[in-house]
């Protein structure tokens, strides 16, 4: 698949993440599932940041792919846990459920793309440091920071502030 298509899909995924945070705000997450759910959002972002760092840092290999896949599975489990925490406390409207569909499937698509794009000579190597170009690092992390990182930290801060006001 053309690299421009992958970039567009990545940005679509990040925009879905930003939309998800705006839906959390609209459902008043701070007064419902609060810090417990917000911590899980930060955990999911950290898991995927680790997966992206792994992919950007090492030469493709079965070991790198296995670690990437383990992180994708951990993200999925954390996402399920997130929904289990949120569901009894706040309404998860249909639009948010559809946004979650995008957020849930994208890491699996990335895992498949990585697997099928690994060169055949990658099958004999393990973890070999081979950083990707700086431009790719910037493309991976700068939009993610602004579209999901900042909203996640802001959500956490709102939840923390709400809880602090409630305990006074």
């Amino acid at each position: 698949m053309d690299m421009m298509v992958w970039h567009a899909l990545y940005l679509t995924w990040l925009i879905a993440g930003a939309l998800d945070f705006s839906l959390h705000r609209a459902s008043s997450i701070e007064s419902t599932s609060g810090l417990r759910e917000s911590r899980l959002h930060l955990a999911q972002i950290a898991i995927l940041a680790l997966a992206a760092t792994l992919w950007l840092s090492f030469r493709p290999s079965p070991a790198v792919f296995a670690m990437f896949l383990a992180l994708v599975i951990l993200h999925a489990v954390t996402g399920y846990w997130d929904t289990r925490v949120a569901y009894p406390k706040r309404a998860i409207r249909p639009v948010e459920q559809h946004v979650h569909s995008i957020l849930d499937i994208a890491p699996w698509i990335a895992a498949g793309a990585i697997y099928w794009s690994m060169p055949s000579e990658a099958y004999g190597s393990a973890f070999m440091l081979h950083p990707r170009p700086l431009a790719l690092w910037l493309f991976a992390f700068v939009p993610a920071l602004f579209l999901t990182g900042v909203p996640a930290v802001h959500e956490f801060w709102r939840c923390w502030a709400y809880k602090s006001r409630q305990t006074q």
Side-chain angles (χ1 to χ4, degrees), residues 10 68 73 77-78 84 87 93 98 128 134-136 147 155:
Y10 179 65
F68 187 91
I73 291 168
V77 169
T78 308
R84 296 280 299 166
Y87 182 71
R93 298 181 318 176
H98 285 285
M128 291 180 57
L134 178 61
L136 198 50
L147 291 171
E155 175 186 273

Side-chain angles (χ1 to χ4, degrees), residues 63-96:
V64 170
F65 178 72
M67 181 65 75
F68 187 91
L69 190 59
L71 290 167
V72 169
I73 291 168
L74 182 59
H75 175 265
V77 169
T78 308
Y80 177 77
W81 184 13
D82 167 20
T83 303
R84 296 280 299 166
V85 165
Y87 182 71
K89 303 278 186 184
R90 72 177 177 87
I92 303 173
R93 298 181 318 176
V95 68
E96 185 175 350

Side-chain angles (χ1 to χ4, degrees), residues 39-51:
R39 280 187 199 110
L40 291 168
H41 297 154
L42 291 173
Q44 287 176 288
I45 289 171
I47 290 164
L48 291 178
L50 183 57

Side-chain angles (χ1 to χ4, degrees), residues 52-160:
T53 301
L54 180 75
W55 179 75
L56 290 167
S57 298
F58 293 94
R59 184 178 304 280
S61 72
V64 170
F65 178 72
M67 181 65 75
F68 187 91
L69 190 59
L71 290 167
V72 169
I73 291 168
L74 182 59
H75 175 265
V77 169
T78 308
Y80 177 77
W81 184 13
D82 167 20
T83 303
R84 296 280 299 166
V85 165
Y87 182 71
K89 303 278 186 184
R90 72 177 177 87
I92 303 173
R93 298 181 318 176
V95 68
E96 185 175 350
Q97 292 175 20
H98 285 285
V99 168
H100 287 174
S101 297
I102 296 167
L103 297 175
D104 292 341
I105 197 67
W108 293 101
I109 292 170
I114 287 169
Y115 178 79
W116 279 291
S117 68
M118 278 197 309
S120 57
E121 65 271 9
Y123 288 99
S125 58
F127 286 94
M128 291 180 57
L129 196 58
H130 185 75
R132 302 295 194 289
L134 178 61
L136 198 50
W137 283 83
L138 293 173
F139 180 78
F141 286 107
V142 171
L145 174 67
F146 289 107
L147 291 171
T148 61
V150 170
V153 170
H154 186 252
E155 175 186 273
F156 182 82
W157 178 83
R158 283 192 342 268
C159 292
W160 180 79

